[in-house]
């Protein structure tokens, strides 16, 4: 039974949520394995929009389970709000649909305060984080002083951890010139209460998933962020603090690599990035503004305008390599309608040379000028199209050229935000091991 991993192949916001929601009909379980509520995954079903930050994008399908794995950093307040909002809209009627790992690390108030204070102190050179406390929470995890979901379920243990960790946080915050309101007793009370709200969902996810696999269930892993934001493989230090690549899917939920059969990379038909860091194909001109406007490129989490640019074949080929992509789904093809020509970066010019692979040094990437290939554009609207053959020949030629440059098959195109506005050429769940 195939299990499929979905990851962002660019800088995040590729439309992973939409594709995961679409593919959930073929899966039994959807698993988030990294990141936290820095993610904003948008689902549109029959015009009704839902933005999810923590809960996997399969949750709109009754009867399908959604799992938050140990690799996720979880802000329990955000989780409870998301649960309540979904219930108010008539979803998540069965609490058994949601499963949360006891080992997931908890984003505590000091993590958010430190994230924000550090960004402020960095000034111009800041990362441009989402300010959700993601980095400091992963830091505490690796430093072996984190708070986990299981600690919220034992008030005495939680009180001990809060006492030790809050003292350290106060010192760091004072150094950063921040004076947050961190009252230990109030934090313990609030987080123990949040723990009581989450207790019904909390379990040993590794065993839970292992049993699901033994019972022949099909898993769909949902990545957050994107390859170029991976802490090891992205444009360090302008990255998030987790491994966003497909290899982390199993680590972040307690399974082994043999559980994965197919890796689907999601890429926009152009590119976007939120926050700082190198981005060779960025367009700071009218064309960039036009992409932002037509594509509605404003962050689903922070509302910040996204940086926009042409598609970068080097970045995509890199993503194919570090994720082991089996296929690509190209989203937002409709946004390119109406451009006279469309461009794809096929090389980087730097220091008198032309590179044809993404360099590993981000400072070098910063100095690269893209070498573009220009293809004729198309003027036809695409939203209503449902098969590959329906697509205008120039749109098809564009997709085919990307496929050729990257060396990975484009198995689907998204032509609008709605679940139905999709052309699926090949279903990863039908293909299996690849
Ligand atoms: P994610 O973080 O990868 O799940 O992506 P986001 O939800 O942050 O951003 C993708 C945005 O594009 C959302 O507003 C989606 O509703 C929208 N979207 C997804 N696919 C398409 C598409 O094919 N066409 C258009 N026009 N919008 C899309
Ligand atoms: P989804 O899952 C786009 C970016 C931030 C910043 C950097 C570090 O919706 O694709 P962090 O708060 O993680 O420490 O910020 O990563 N970033 C994202 N950009 N989409 C996301 O998630 C992102 N999550 C984090 O803008 O540049
Ligand atoms: Mg997003």
């Amino acid at each position: 039974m195939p299990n499929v991993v979905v990851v962002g192949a660019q800088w995040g916001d590729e439309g992973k949520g939409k594709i995961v929601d679409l593919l959930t009909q073929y899966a039994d379980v959807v698993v988030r394995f990294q990141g936290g509520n820095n993610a904003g995954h948008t689902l549109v079903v029959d015009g009704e929009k839902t933005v999810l930050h923590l809960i996997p994008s399969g949750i709109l399908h009754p009867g399908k389970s959604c799992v938050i794995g140990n690799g996720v950093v979880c802000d329990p307040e955000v989780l409870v709000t998301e649960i309540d909002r979904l219930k108010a809209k008539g979803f998540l009627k069965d609490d058994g649909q949601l499963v949360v790992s006891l080992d997931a690390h908890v984003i505590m108030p000091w993590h958010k305060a430190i994230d924000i204070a550090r960004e402020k102190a960095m000034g111009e050179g800041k990362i441009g984080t989402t300010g959700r406390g993601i980095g400091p929470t992963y830091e505490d995890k690796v430093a072996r002083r984190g708070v986990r979901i299981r600690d919220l379920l034992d008030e005495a243990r939680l009180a001990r951890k809060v006492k030790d960790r809050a003292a350290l946080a106060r010192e760091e915050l004072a150094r950063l010139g921040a004076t947050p309101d961190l009252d230990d007793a109030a934090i313990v009370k609030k987080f123990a209460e949040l723990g009581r709200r989450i207790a019904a969902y909390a379990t040993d996810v590794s065993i839970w998933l292992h049993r699901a696999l033994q019972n022949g269930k099909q898993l769909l892993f949902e990545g957050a962020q994107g390859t170029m934001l991976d802490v090891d493989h992205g444009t360090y230090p302008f990255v998030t603090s987790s491994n966003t690549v497909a290899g982390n899917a199993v680590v972040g939920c307690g399974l082994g690599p043999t559980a994965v059969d197919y890796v689907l990379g999601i890429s926009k038909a152009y590119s976007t990035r939120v926050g700082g860091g190198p981005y060779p194909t960025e367009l700071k001109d009218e064309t960039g503004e036009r992409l932002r406007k037509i594509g509605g490129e404003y962050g689903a989490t922070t509302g910040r305008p996204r940086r926009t640019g042409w598609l970068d074949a080097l970045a995509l080929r890199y993503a194919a390599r570090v994720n082991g992509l089996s296929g690509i789904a190209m989203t937002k093809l409709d946004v390119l309608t109406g451009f006279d020509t469309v461009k794809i970066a096929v090389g980087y010019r730097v220091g008198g040379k032309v590179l044809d692979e993404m360099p590993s040094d981000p400072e070098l990437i910063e100095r690269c000028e893209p070498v573009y290939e220009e293809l004729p554009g198309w003027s036809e609207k695409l939203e209503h199209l449902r098969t590959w053959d329906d697509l205008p020949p120039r749109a098809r030629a564009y997709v085919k050229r990307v496929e050729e440059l990257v060396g990975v098959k484009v198995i689907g195109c998204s032509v609008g935000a709605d679940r139905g506005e999709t052309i699926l050429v090949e279903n990863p769940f039908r293909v299996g091991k690849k």
Side-chain angles (χ1 to χ4, degrees), residues 236-252:
Y236 191 89
F238 295 96
V239 292
T240 191
S241 297
S242 66
N243 285 114
T244 60
V245 294
N248 193 29
V250 286
V251 178

Side-chain angles (χ1 to χ4, degrees), residues 90-149:
F91 299 107
L92 191 52
K93 285 199 176 112
D94 171 12
D95 279 325
Q97 215 191 329
L98 181 64
V99 178
V100 179
S101 170
L102 284 162
D103 294 326
H105 278 249
V106 177
I107 301 178
M108 299 298 288
W110 51 80
H111 294 131
K112 276 185 271 189
I114 290 172
D115 189 0
I116 293 164
R118 278 193 199 151
E119 284 281 284
K120 200 169 156 206
M122 286 212 275
E124 281 292 293
K126 68 180 180 184
I127 309 281
T129 73
T130 58
R132 301 301 194 263
I134 306 296
T137 307
Y138 277 116
E139 269 172 59
D140 276 359
K141 170 177 174 169
V142 177
R144 297 166 292 193
R145 59 178 180 222
V147 176
R148 299 192 287 177
I149 294 286

Side-chain angles (χ1 to χ4, degrees), residues 12-13 16 39-42 300-301 306:
D13 302 326
K16 299 174 291 294
H41 296 175
T42 314
T301 296
R306 294 174 181 149

Side-chain angles (χ1 to χ4, degrees), residues 107-114 162-174 178-188 190-191:
I107 301 178
M108 299 298 288
W110 51 80
H111 294 131
K112 276 185 271 189
I114 290 172
V162 167
K163 184 165 167 279
D164 293 347
R165 186 61 190 98
L168 279 174
R170 277 193 199 91
E171 283 172 23
E172 174 161 9
L173 286 162
T179 49
D181 182 18
L182 291 178
D183 174 345
D184 289 10
I187 291 173
V188 172
K190 180 173 167 182
F191 280 74

Side-chain angles (χ1 to χ4, degrees), residues 280-281 310-314 343-350 353-356 368-374 405:
T281 63
W310 294 118
L311 192 84
D312 186 334
L314 284 76
K343 294 186 189 178
I344 307 171
V346 294
Y348 289 161
R349 191 169 286 115
V350 64
K353 283 198 213 142
V354 174
L355 310 177
D356 60 0
C368 288
E369 286 291 327
V371 177
Y372 285 118
E373 189 171 300
E374 199 162 354
L405 288 164

Side-chain angles (χ1 to χ4, degrees), residues 405-422:
L405 288 164
V406 181
V408 177
K409 185 167 179 189
V410 176
I411 61 120
C413 295
S414 174
V415 290
D418 212 279
R419 185 191 279 170
E421 291 171 325
T422 319

